[in-house]
Amino acid sequence: MTWLLETTGLTRRFAGLVAVDGVDLRVAQGGIHAVIGPNGAGKTTLFNLISGLIVPSAGTIRFAGTDVTRLPPDRRAALGMGRTFQNIRVFGAMTVLENVLTGLHARTAPDLLGTGLLGTGLLGTVLRLPRFRAAEREAVARARAALDLVGLGAQAETRAAALSYGDQRRLEIARAMAPEPRLLLLDEPAAGMNPAETAALGALVRRLGGLGTTILLVEHDMGFVMGISDAVTVLNFGRRILDGPPEAVRQSPVVIEAYLGQKVAARLAKSAP
C-alpha cells in the first residue's frame, strides 16, 4: 500500500489538555478518507497539524515521502497539499475568479531572489515582461478550469458575496483545487448546508476523488461521510480508536454507542439498507 500521508505518534498539547494523543493515521493514495468523532475529539486540531497551522508537541508527519513535520503551510502547499476551512473564508468584495486566483499565489508569486515558482522573477513582475504575462494567463486559465470543475464557471465575474452559501462552499473548494493539489483537506465541507446542497456537494467530492485527487475530510454529517468515503478513521478524546471501511464503522457498537451517540446511532440504523 502506498501512503500519501502518514502520521506517527502525532500529539498536540495545549497547557493541560491533550487535544491529539499519539495518533497514527495513514491515508492511501487516491480515494476519500474521512475522520469522524464527537465534538472535542481532536479532528480540527489534527487537520491544523497536518496542514501546518500549528506544530505538534510530538510525533511526525510525512507527505508524499517527505517529512513535513516542521514545514510551514506555504511549503506544504507547494508540495501539493490544499485545504478548506470549517468557516467560510471568501473575499466578498472580490469576484469569484479573483478569489480563486488568490489560491494560486504559492505557484505564481515572485520569489524575491529573482526566480519565482513560474520563473517570472521580481523584475519581470514589476515590468510585466512577456514571461510574467504568460504566467498570468496560465493562472487565469487554471482558475477558470477550477471554477468549471465545481460548477461556477458562469459566475466567474460575480462578486463572491453575492453567491449562495452552498456556492461559497464550492468557491472555497475551487480555490483549493486550482493549484492541483495531490491531497485536499476538507474541514466540515457540508456544515450549514441544506439536504439538496449536501447531496450536490457529495457528488462533487466523489467526482474530485475520481479525478485522482486524494481527499481527507472531517465531517459531522454521518450520512454524507458514509455515502462518499472509502475509509474512515474515528477519533475520541484525541485518540484514534478505529480505522476501517464505512460499513465496518457503521456497524461498530463501540463507535455507534460510545462515540457517535444514541441519536446518531438511531439515524444510522434508519438509513441502513
Side-chain angles (χ1 to χ4, degrees):
M1 178 70 71
T2 300
W3 306 117
L4 178 62
L5 175 72
E6 184 173 9
T7 73
T8 304
L10 196 61
T11 301
R12 175 65 192 198
R13 302 182 185 90
F14 296 98
L17 171 68
V18 182
V20 173
D21 190 359
V23 170
D24 295 338
L25 175 69
R26 292 172 178 81
V27 178
Q29 176 78 48
I32 301 170
H33 191 124
V35 178
I36 65 173
N39 289 332
K43 303 181 298 297
T44 294
T45 301
L46 177 64
F47 257 41
N48 288 340
L49 288 166
I50 292 170
S51 60
L53 292 183
I54 57 176
V55 296
S57 304
T60 60
I61 305 166
R62 296 188 65 82
F63 174 62
T66 299
D67 187 336
V68 299
T69 309
R70 300 294 168 181
L71 293 185
D74 61 321
R75 293 285 302 280
R76 300 186 198 204
L79 288 172
M81 190 182 296
R83 179 188 174 161
T84 68
F85 292 84
Q86 181 178 349
N87 299 318
I88 290 178
R89 299 188 178 189
V90 301
F91 301 104
M94 291 183 178
T95 67
V96 169
L97 178 62
E98 288 168 341
N99 267 269
V100 179
L101 286 170
T102 67
L104 286 166
H105 71 89
R107 299 288 179 92
T108 59
D111 184 336
L112 292 180
L113 295 178
T115 56
L117 290 173
L118 291 178
T120 57
L122 179 60
L123 181 62
T125 300
V126 172
L127 299 179
R128 297 185 64 82
L129 296 178
R131 183 175 292 183
F132 171 79
R133 293 198 298 272
E136 192 174 46
R137 288 193 298 271
E138 179 185 342
V140 170
R142 290 172 67 176
R144 290 189 180 279
L147 288 173
D148 288 339
L149 183 63
V150 303
L152 292 177
Q155 301 182 66
E157 305 306 325
T158 301
R159 284 179 60 250
L163 295 180
S164 68
Y165 180 86
D167 282 347
Q168 288 188 18
R169 285 285 186 189
R170 287 173 173 269
L171 174 55
E172 288 196 313
I173 293 174
R175 184 168 58 194
M177 285 295 297
E180 300 177 0
R182 298 182 64 181
L183 174 68
L184 176 62
L185 292 90
L186 300 177
D187 191 354
E188 297 199 27
M193 287 189 171
N194 62 41
E197 290 172 333
T198 300
L201 177 66
L204 171 60
V205 173
R206 283 193 297 271
R207 186 161 71 249
L208 297 179
L211 292 174
T213 303
T214 302
I215 296 172
L216 178 64
L217 68 92
V218 161
E219 183 53 61
H220 280 291
D221 187 325
M222 291 301 103
F224 181 84
V225 167
M226 299 301 173
I228 68 171
S229 301
D230 300 304
V232 179
T233 294
V234 186
L235 297 183
N236 192 46
F237 296 114
R239 297 180 179 178
R240 176 179 60 85
I241 54 101
L242 185 68
D243 282 307
E247 193 59 31
V249 171
R250 182 197 296 271
Q251 295 177 358
S252 168
V254 174
V255 173
I256 295 174
E257 296 175 11
Y259 303 110
L260 300 183
Q262 292 299 320
K263 291 183 179 180
V264 175
R267 187 160 65 247
L268 288 176
K270 289 181 181 179
S271 65

